[in-house]
Amino acid sequence: QVQLVESGGGLVQPGGSLRLSCAASGGTFRINAMGWYRQAPGKQRELVATITRRSTTNYADSVKGRFTVSRDNANNALYLQMNTLKPEDTAVYYCYANDAYRPFDYWGQGTQVTVSS
């Protein structure tokens, strides 16, 4: 069973940067695509960015040019570099990993990102 643990969230001023990390463990050979979702208070969870095992990336329009997703397959890690943060980026950010052998996604517990002056 794959476990995902996020870290790196916190409070940052508008225009600032944060780097989120996600560490995967347990059965990581099963992991195919990975990515980040976020959920703001009172809103549905939304896709932020995804990355395949071969590092093909996809971004939500709202973060294009500001966020960069990357992964380190050798160390079972996923990252999200967030620059030029805006108050509307405030949310709980969740790491996910897609299982290559069955239609199932693994999720982390989430990390809070708050953008405020």
Side-chain angles (χ1 to χ4, degrees), residues 43-87:
K43 294 188 177 181
Q44 289 189 329
R45 191 173 296 191
E46 64 174 359
L47 174 70
V48 176
T50 61
I51 184 167
T52 67
R53 287 195 67 87
R54 295 187 178 184
S55 295
T56 298
T57 59
N58 181 53
Y59 296 92
D61 288 343
S62 58
V63 306
K64 281 181 182 176
R66 300 188 298 121
F67 291 11
T68 302
V69 62
S70 60
R71 66 190 287 176
D72 180 346
N73 291 329
N75 292 299
N76 301 311
L78 175 73
Y79 305 100
L80 185 68
Q81 178 65 44
M82 305 185 294
N83 298 327
T84 319
L85 282 160
K86 304 175 180 180

Side-chain angles (χ1 to χ4, degrees), residues 18-42:
L18 278 177
R19 188 188 194 215
L20 304 183
S21 299
C22 175
S25 61
T28 54
F29 68 93
R30 306 187 67 90
I31 293 175
N32 189 11
M34 299 184 77
W36 296 92
Y37 276 72
R38 67 186 181 187
Q39 187 166 19

